[in-house]
């Protein structure tokens, strides 16, 4: 036996099965009504067949009577053959009438009376062809008089009286059958209209019930998805025992787990900020003083060892600073202090910050004259955007060869302002272009140890730009250089 485990599927099948069952019941009722209507039609057709047989018996009997009358007057031999033919036909039709009336006692009795009366009349009329028949009756004197016609009618047969009674009976039956048939047709019409209407209503009601029940709860689950991403409290559980309820239960369990993780993360960050960062900065300061001979005279070997230790300490401090910066941003929820600011001021501040390491690396930073002479205005948090530009410039200095030039440019495009930093360094492989803005990603594995990168600068830059309502990206050709860019909404001073 097939077992359906999905409860949502069961509800969906219910929406299909109930209208289907209703349709089957409706079709069964319609079939019964159609059968009854056809039965009434058959009754009328059978009645008409019996009426046709009865009137044919009368017609053939009348033919025989007329032939016998003519023979009685003119004694023509060919009339004998014609009488025999009419007689045989009348007898066959009367037998057929009895057969058609079999099964109904009253009707069968009337048919037998017609049969017996017709046979008796035909038998009596056949004597005309054997001997003189009532020679005292002058047919010629009777045929043109109403009284005479009745006398002949009464003389020859009493079949017509039985036929009249039979026809009256059949007429009554046909009338009742026609009335019943009409009622059934009207009932069928009402059943069809009502059944279709009820089926449509039932289907719509079930569909609405299922849709509202499912979609309202799915909407809650989807809303919980957004709440979960934003670390907001979830809505109340949707309830139930189907897959939607199970999914909602998983979301609530995940939310509780994330809350615990966030709590542990905040505790860890607090430890790093208070118990690791501050002492480590003191160690960093001391190591730099020692390596530079500020505190005491050292041998070259000791100075080299201290310089290496100071460099390692610098990398650890940068990593801690980047991790703390990511934490301060809380993924996407840090506060921005935006105001209209000139692009020239932003670029000048960023270039000033990296000029010394650029000169030390033998790399020139070029700002086109139009950038300085025709600045744009953006709505931005100055410190944060300068941080992004410094990151772009620092990376360009790190990966540019000595003697090369880094170009900083700005251009307006519709309601956006686009900053770009272009270098002529080693470039980025195409397969890694989509990864450089992910956390802890390096173009090459050795970059972290050789160039001091943490893999967090570009992810931080992306978060800052996206919080400003902008977009960020990179275009690069391996071996030729890279262009890092970001766009911000234009503003007015």
């Amino acid at each position: 036996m097939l077992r359906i485990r999905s409860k949502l599927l069961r509800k969906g099948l219910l929406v299909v099965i109930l209208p289907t069952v209703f349709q089957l019941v409706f079709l069964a009722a319609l079939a019964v009504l159609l059968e009854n209507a056809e039965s009434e039609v058959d009754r009328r057709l059978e009645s008409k067949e019996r009426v046709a047989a009865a009137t044919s018996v009368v017609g053939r009997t009348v033919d025989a009577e007329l032939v016998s009358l003519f023979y009685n007057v003119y004694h023509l031999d060919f009339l004998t053959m014609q009488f025999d033919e009419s007689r045989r036909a009348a007898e066959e039709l009367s037998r057929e009438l009895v057969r058609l009336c079999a099964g109904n006692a009253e009707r069968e009795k009337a048919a037998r009376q017609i049969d017996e009366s017709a046979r008796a009349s035909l038998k009596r009329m056949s004597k005309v062809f054997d001997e003189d028949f009532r020679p005292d009756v002058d047919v010629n004197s009777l045929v043109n008089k109403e009284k005479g016609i009745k006398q002949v009618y009464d003389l020859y047969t009493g079949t017509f009286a039985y036929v009249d009674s039979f026809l009256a009976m059949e007429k009554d039956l046909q009338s009742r059958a026609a009335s019943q048939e009409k009622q059934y047709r009207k009932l069928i019409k009402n059943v069809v209209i009502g059944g279709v209407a009820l089926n449509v209503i039932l289907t719509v009601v079930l569909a609405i019930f299922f849709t509202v029940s499912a979609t309202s709860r799915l909407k809650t689950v989807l809303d919980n998805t957004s709440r979960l991403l934003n670390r907001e409290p979830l809505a109340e559980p949707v309830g139930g025992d189907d897959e939607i309820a199970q999914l909602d239960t998983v979301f609530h369990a995940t939310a509780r787990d994330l809350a615990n993780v966030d709590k542990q993360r905040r505790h860890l960050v607090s430890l790093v900020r208070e118990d690791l960062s501050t002492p480590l900065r003191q160690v960093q300061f001391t190591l730099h003083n020692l390596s530079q001979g500020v505190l005491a005279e050292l041998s070259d070997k000791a100075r080299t060892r201290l310089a290496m230790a100071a460099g390692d300490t610098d990398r650890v401090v940068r990593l801690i600073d980047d991790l703390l910066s990511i934490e301060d941003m809380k993924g996407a929820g840090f506060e921005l202090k935006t105001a209209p600011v000139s692009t020239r001021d932003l670029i000048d501040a960023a270039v000033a910050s990296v000029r010394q390491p650029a000169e030390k690396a033998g790399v020139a930073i070029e700002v086109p004259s139009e950038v300085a002479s025709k600045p744009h205005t953006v709505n931005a948090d100055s410190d944060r955007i300068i941080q992004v530009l410094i990151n772009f410039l620092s990376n360009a200095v790190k990966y540019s060869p000595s003697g090369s030039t880094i170009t900083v440019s700005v251009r307006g495009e519709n309601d956006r302002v686009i900053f770009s930093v272009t270098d002529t360094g080693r470039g980025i492989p195409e397969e890694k272009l989509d990864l450089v803005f992910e956390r802890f990603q390096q173009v090459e594995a050795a970059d972290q140890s050789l160039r001091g990168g943490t893999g967090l600068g570009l992810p931080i830059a992306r978060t800052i730009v996206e919080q400003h309502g902008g977009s960020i990206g990179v275009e690069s050709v391996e071996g030729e250089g890279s262009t890092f860019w970001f766009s911000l909404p234009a503003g007015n001073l």
Side-chain angles (χ1 to χ4, degrees), residues 139-318:
V139 176
N140 291 321
S141 64
L142 295 176
V143 293
N144 293 322
K145 296 179 181 180
E146 182 178 351
K147 183 178 179 181
I149 292 173
K150 185 176 184 305
Q151 185 177 354
V152 173
Y153 178 89
D154 294 338
L155 176 67
Y156 276 84
T157 181
T159 305
F160 300 126
Y162 294 118
V163 170
D164 288 342
S165 175
F166 183 83
L167 292 179
M169 182 190 308
E170 292 299 330
K171 182 179 180 181
D172 180 64
L173 184 147
Q174 289 184 23
S175 177
R176 286 186 283 107
S179 177
Q180 285 291 106
E181 181 185 347
K182 183 177 180 181
Q183 290 181 5
Y184 279 123
R185 290 184 183 277
K186 184 178 180 180
L187 188 58
I188 288 171
K189 180 180 178 182
N190 292 336
V191 168
V192 169
I193 295 174
V196 171
L198 287 176
N199 187 58
V200 170
I201 292 172
L202 178 62
T203 303
V204 171
V205 168
L206 288 174
I208 290 175
F209 170 76
F210 178 77
T211 303
V212 170
S213 174
T215 55
S216 61
R217 297 163 72 232
L218 278 174
K219 184 178 179 181
T220 301
V221 173
L222 291 174
D223 182 57
N224 282 342
T225 305
S226 177
R227 290 170 178 262
L228 188 63
L229 290 174
N230 296 325
R231 300 295 195 271
E232 298 175 357
L234 301 188
E236 292 295 323
V238 297
D241 57 354
D242 56 11
E243 288 76 9
I244 297 177
Q246 295 172 8
L247 182 61
D248 187 62
T249 301
V250 171
F251 270 111
H252 279 80
T254 304
R256 290 192 294 270
D257 292 342
L258 286 176
N260 292 332
V261 170
D262 287 342
K263 183 178 179 180
Q264 295 171 3
R265 177 178 53 79
R266 286 192 297 271
H267 179 66
L268 177 61
V269 168
S270 177
L271 289 177
V272 170
R273 191 186 303 275
E274 297 174 5
D275 298 339
L276 180 61
S277 178
T278 301
L280 193 59
R281 290 183 188 278
Q282 294 176 356
V283 172
Q284 179 189 32
F285 178 75
T286 302
L287 287 174
H288 275 285
N289 286 337
L290 286 172
S291 65
Q292 294 171 6
V294 174
L295 299 181
E297 290 293 330
L298 300 173
S299 64
D300 292 340
K301 183 176 181 180
R303 192 185 301 276
T304 301
R305 294 284 184 91
L306 285 171
M308 293 174 58
D312 291 338
T313 306
D314 289 343
R315 282 194 293 273
V316 174
V317 170
R318 283 196 300 271

Side-chain angles (χ1 to χ4, degrees), residues 406-425:
I406 298 171
T407 303
V408 182
S409 62
V410 178
R411 74 178 189 275
E413 189 174 289
N414 298 327
D415 59 345
R416 317 288 291 180
V417 175
I418 301 175
F419 297 77
S420 61
V421 175
T422 303
D423 63 60
T424 56

Side-chain angles (χ1 to χ4, degrees), residues 6-28:
S6 173
K7 296 186 178 180
L8 277 179
L9 181 58
R10 292 180 190 175
K11 292 180 180 180
L13 289 176
L14 187 64
V15 175
V16 176
I17 291 173
L18 281 181
T20 302
V21 171
F22 177 82
Q23 290 175 7
L24 292 175
V25 173
F26 163 71
L27 291 175

